Amino acid sequence: MVGAGYVGLTSAACLAHLGFRVTCVDNDVAKVDRLCAGEVTIAEPGLADLVVAGRTRSRLDFTTDITTLAGVDLVLLCLPTPMGPDGACNLDVFESTLAILGGVLRPGCVIVTKSTVPLGTAGRVPRLLGRADLPVVSNPEFLREGHAVEDFLHPDRVVIGADAAYRDAAEEVAALYAETGAPVLHTDPATAEVTKYASNAFLAIKASYVNVLAELCERVGADVTEVTHAMGLDDRIAPDFLTAGPGWGGSCLPKDTSALLRAAEEAGVDFALVRDAVKANARQQATVVRKVRCAVTGSADGSLVGARIGILGLAFKAGTGDLRDSPAIAIVEALARQGAILTAYDPAVGAAVGLGIHGVGVVSDPYLVAEDAAALVVLTEWPEFRTLDWTALARAVRHPVVVDMRNVLDAAELATAGFRRVGLGTSAEPMA
Ligand code: UGA
């Protein structure tokens, strides 16, 4: 395994759990030292136990020395492929690692790409390796952050893309997942690469669809939560990814929609649906900012200068402390730019994490965000926000109003505590 991020480390620990002997290489010395000591710093449920078990059974090694992979049968690439400033996938790490591996691996070693890479990358791998004797297989990962172990051990499907000449190598990769009992779909590399982008972009479209639907519901006096509940009972639609919120984010959906749009453009395909989903996502963040402004000042164009606002949730979704491309951060930045003074709390983000945004402090106690606040704003759907002592919060705030942009709080309970709740997608509080 090359790369010990949430995908690489989870895959390594799960494969060790399934009985394989895994060596995981990462160039971060401190991370490798901690992993060797059985210390896992990523908050993935079940991962730490699997790492410790893998080490105890001598099936899982960590090293910074890539040459230790010289004799392995398969190399799985789980390297970062972040989005560059121009919206394109940055393949620097991926490409430089392949160049090194080309000089290290034994003949016949199977190269498996799990990282999400631009369409057509599989075809370029032999040149990047400087070797034509290594079978190349595309095996995209579909792991969700916060559910990665569960997703690895119980995948909905395993997609394996290889040219016909590498059929044996594809079978070797399929054997990695045999124990999971998941359906394995054998296909060509291009189809496997497109499947990954197609899945993430579809999720983005689904989430943006619901956010625009929320706007419509507010204007016509309907309740988006009830609408999506009814929609989700249709097997063809399914209930997941039907929750209105402040917009989708994280390290995957924004990057993958952008990459798919770029690939479509290069191929001469006008993928307006994906483009609109991205636009709707940016608009959603602006909508949340307007809703907060309305709640604090009573008008859509009131001034936020000097207004104290308490933020509950910074991560891009509950179950992770990941702030990469989090809509919450974009919204906090926008509110701070308009002169608000913000105090934020997230159960997975320590107070020591300075956001580096002028006018924004992070605290480690949710009750501190309420002090003298003109409004509280929920931006991540952490279930524990429901069980906060809302009566105590009502005593601490200056104005008892909660802008619940994940629709996680109980309106009746809040009303009893003395709060007015502004939700998303219900007629009670029209979109600003
Ligand atoms: C996503 C995919 O779900 C994984 O299958 C994929 O493997 C992964 O990207 C990847 O490419 O590596 P992840 O980024 O962990 O996983 O997060 P999701 O659970 O998909 O959530 C993405 C965003 O959508 C979050 O900001 C979340 O709050 C938002 N979302 C989710 C909504 O706005 N509405 C919903 O109904 C659901």
Side-chain angles (χ1 to χ4, degrees), residues 141-143 145 196 200 241-243 249 252 316-317 406:
E141 57 84 15
F142 298 102
L143 310 180
E145 261 186 81
K196 172 59 193 258
N200 273 0
F241 261 79
L242 282 185
T243 311
C252 304
F316 79 100
K317 64 173 182 179
R406 292 278 190 172

Side-chain angles (χ1 to χ4, degrees), residues 231-256:
M231 284 169 65
L233 293 176
D234 184 329
D235 287 344
R236 295 168 305 171
I237 297 175
D240 291 342
F241 261 79
L242 282 185
T243 311
W248 39 268
S251 63
C252 304
L253 265 50
K255 161 173 91 78
D256 293 353

Side-chain angles (χ1 to χ4, degrees), residues 316-340:
F316 79 100
K317 64 173 182 179
T320 168
D322 199 339
L323 302 179
R324 284 177 292 175
D325 255 319
S326 171
I329 298 293
I331 289 162
V332 161
E333 268 171 351
L335 292 170
R337 262 197 313 275
Q338 294 179 24

Side-chain angles (χ1 to χ4, degrees), residues 69-76 101-112 125-126 129-137 165-173:
L69 301 184
V72 299
D73 299 319
L74 299 101
V75 169
L76 285 80
L101 283 170
V104 167
L105 301 176
R106 68 164 178 77
C109 173
V110 180
I111 304 292
V112 186
V125 168
L129 284 163
R131 302 261 302 257
D133 63 320
L134 306 182
V136 177
V137 176
Y166 296 143
R167 183 72 207 186
D168 291 350
E171 290 300 345
E172 272 187 72
V173 178

